[in-house]
Amino acid sequence: MRVLLYADAMNPDLPSEPGVIFNTARSLVDQVDEAVVVTQIRNREAIDRAGFSHAEIVYLDTEYIARPVWKISSALRLNTANLAAVKYPVQFAFERELWKRFGSDLKTGRFDILHRVGPISSALPSPLARWSPVPFVIGPVNGGLQYPESFKDVMRREGEWLRYIRNSYKILPYARTTYTQAAAILAAFDHTIETLPAGNEDRIFDFPEVGADPDVFGSNAEIRHSTAERLTFLFAGRLVPFKCADVAVQAFAQSPLLQKHRLVIAGDGPERSALEQLVARHSLQECVEFLGWTEKHVVAQYMQSANVFVFPSIRDAGAGVIAEAMMAGLPSVVVGYGPGRHLLDDRSGIRVPLGTRGDHIEGFKTAMETLAQDKDLCAAMGHAARLRALENLTWDVRAQRIAEVYRWVTGACDKRPAGLLR
């Protein structure tokens, strides 16, 4: 199996999408006979430091368009969600340069598969889906998760004004053929699958983009401090409105039981000041601790010593931090909407039903109190979460499942593979 993998953003030093794409691509090269990985030249230094197994790495220079777009987006102060709307010319230029470099190799049969590993956004079309003479695989892609109606104020606070016209991407060149011409579509969760063009269901695989390294997040997973009198509830993430860290703080404020334990908040952002004021208003300084911005390896260490992961976010499309908490053997309390609804099951965590902010505060308070009072349940859920992560969410397992899709699209295997969360 000879595969040409590509992604503009692929960087082990960066959080979120670039890091996820790097881990996906690096694990995939070990599943095939030959792999050439193509990315943007800005990623070279970080990739050289991290290493990339036996794959050939090719760097394309598209700074002639990437840099001006970055300057414009910085001047406009576009957040992550709005930034996706202006990436199309950058992505098109990158794929055009790839075609110039490898078009003849694809035509002469050097590769069996062309796989776009990134970007993760399902709203960024690919001209190569139409141009490629070999089977084109895309994904995992993610996108389309709506703000719940009762949290529209959060969308406004986030400044995601382009979300109102998100569906306009469907009129971009190659928007439809990206999916109608793809041999396989790896799409994360039902909220993404439902937004894809109809008629492609037989080639869509439910495949979350997130994963976790068991060596980083699982080295101490079997030694959980369930006998400790004071449990640690951990929140990790940017302190921005849609993460709703205040729900966890309010749950502590309303529960004398929870105040016997502690809440550790790892992360920083524009909401931190308001959260600190909330803690002070309810005199929670003895049980709520702010770590500030925290590097991933330090978050992993905190996960090793915590007892419960708390994540009240109402619009995380991927929520890789849930996968990391699962790998660390933590039971999670999440909103039963989007990725939390699918990554966890009833054995590995508690999914609070989607409702109003008041519903969520009450739901998280009840769930956290349940785990605080039943340490056997807490330990059992953590163990189940760890097993579920090992079976489905290590980078190696994900790569093996993608390789099954490769074999299917090339005809080497007749049986259609299952999605990721089996």
Side-chain angles (χ1 to χ4, degrees):
M1 186 77 65
R2 299 159 301 175
V3 182
L4 180 61
L5 300 158
Y6 73 95
D8 175 88
M10 183 187 300
N11 194 311
D13 290 350
L14 298 178
S16 193
E17 181 170 325
V20 166
I21 292 171
F22 174 83
N23 285 316
T24 298
R26 186 165 66 168
S27 60
L28 274 171
V29 302
D30 293 326
Q31 300 296 323
V32 299
D33 300 311
E34 178 188 352
V36 175
V37 180
V38 185
T39 189
Q40 219 273 357
I41 196 168
R42 77 177 80 89
N43 304 310
R44 169 174 257 155
E45 185 177 342
I47 290 176
D48 286 348
R49 283 197 305 270
F52 216 101
S53 188
H54 58 277
E56 176 187 352
I57 312 294
V58 174
Y59 297 97
L60 300 180
D61 188 350
T62 55
E63 287 297 288
Y64 61 87
I65 188 168
R67 186 170 293 279
V69 169
W70 178 81
K71 288 182 177 179
I72 292 170
S73 61
S74 297
L76 294 175
R77 297 183 179 180
L78 296 181
N79 61 20
T80 302
N82 290 334
L83 185 60
V86 299
K87 282 185 177 178
Y88 178 68
V90 177
Q91 183 62 30
F92 183 88
F94 181 81
E95 297 201 18
R96 184 180 60 184
E97 294 296 331
L98 186 148
W99 179 250
K100 289 179 183 178
R101 178 73 178 268
F102 290 100
S104 60
D105 287 335
L106 290 164
K107 291 175 182 177
T108 56
R110 177 184 173 186
F111 300 102
D112 301 303
I113 286 175
L114 175 63
H115 183 178
R116 188 174 99 168
V117 188
I120 290 174
S121 172
S122 59
L124 284 170
S126 170
L128 285 171
R130 185 172 177 178
W131 299 345
S132 177
V134 303
F136 177 83
V137 176
I138 185 170
V141 294
N142 197 331
L145 184 64
Q146 299 297 312
Y147 274 92
E149 282 298 323
S150 57
F151 286 87
K152 290 295 186 181
D153 64 307
V154 174
M155 184 176 75
R156 290 188 288 272
R157 289 168 59 201
E158 289 283 0
E160 292 193 25
W161 47 275
L162 285 177
R163 183 161 295 277
Y164 290 108
I165 57 171
R166 182 184 187 275
N167 284 337
S168 62
Y169 83 88
K170 295 178 181 179
I171 66 173
L172 291 173
Y174 306 103
R176 186 165 185 82
T177 55
T178 296
Y179 297 104
T180 60
Q181 299 295 312
I185 304 160
L186 310 176
F189 312 116
D190 56 7
H191 63 257
T192 302
I193 294 171
E194 290 167 1
T195 66
L196 299 179
N200 306 300
E201 291 76 14
D202 61 327
R203 291 173 287 111
I204 296 175
F205 298 85
D206 191 343
F207 207 100
E209 79 272 21
V210 297
D213 187 336
D215 293 329
V216 174
F217 290 94
S219 61
N220 194 34
E222 300 303 322
I223 307 173
R224 188 57 61 203
H225 302 288
S226 59
T227 58
E229 286 299 317
R230 195 182 192 207
L231 301 186
T232 296
F233 294 82
L234 175 68
F235 169 93
R238 291 182 298 127
L239 301 184
V240 292
F242 77 80
K243 299 282 187 178
C244 298
D246 63 293
V247 168
V249 176
Q250 291 279 16
F252 260 70
Q254 295 182 16
S255 173
L257 171 61
L258 291 177
Q259 290 170 30
K260 297 177 182 178
H261 305 282
R262 70 173 186 149
L263 172 65
V264 174
I265 298 176
D268 209 343
E271 293 293 291
R272 179 167 177 176
S273 177
L275 289 168
E276 290 176 333
Q277 292 174 31
L278 182 63
V279 167
R281 188 159 63 247
H282 292 283
S283 301
L284 300 175
Q285 293 91 335
E286 295 299 317
C287 56
V288 178
E289 177 184 356
F290 291 90
L291 300 180
W293 184 86
T294 310
E295 292 188 2
K296 179 165 282 195
H297 73 277
V298 178
V299 173
Q301 293 171 4
Y302 272 92
M303 284 183 174
Q304 294 301 308
S305 59
N307 303 97
V308 179
F309 183 65
V310 183
F311 198 61
S313 177
I314 47 89
R315 213 208 64 78
D316 256 85
V321 70
I322 297 178
E324 293 163 354
M326 293 169 67
M327 192 66 73
L330 286 174
S332 296
V333 183
V334 303
V335 178
Y337 178 66
R341 174 185 166 199
H342 301 280
L343 291 173
L344 294 166
D345 59 15
D346 290 338
R347 295 173 299 171
S348 54
I350 299 177
R351 294 169 289 183
V352 176
L354 183 65
T356 65
R357 185 177 295 274
D359 295 333
H360 287 183
I361 294 170
E362 181 61 29
F364 271 78
K365 178 175 78 72
T366 300
M368 293 158 71
E369 287 178 339
T370 297
L371 294 174
Q373 294 178 96
D374 192 338
K375 294 177 182 177
D376 289 339
L377 175 63
C378 192
M381 281 190 165
H383 180 68
R386 166 77 170 169
L387 290 180
R388 185 168 170 82
L390 288 172
E391 291 171 0
N392 298 285
L393 298 175
T394 72
W395 299 112
D396 287 343
V397 166
R398 295 173 78 261
Q400 291 164 15
R401 304 278 176 83
I402 295 175
E404 292 176 6
V405 175
Y406 288 169
R407 289 191 286 273
W408 180 73
V409 300
T410 56
C413 174
D414 293 332
K415 184 179 179 182
R416 186 185 188 279
L420 182 60
L421 293 174
R422 296 177 175 174

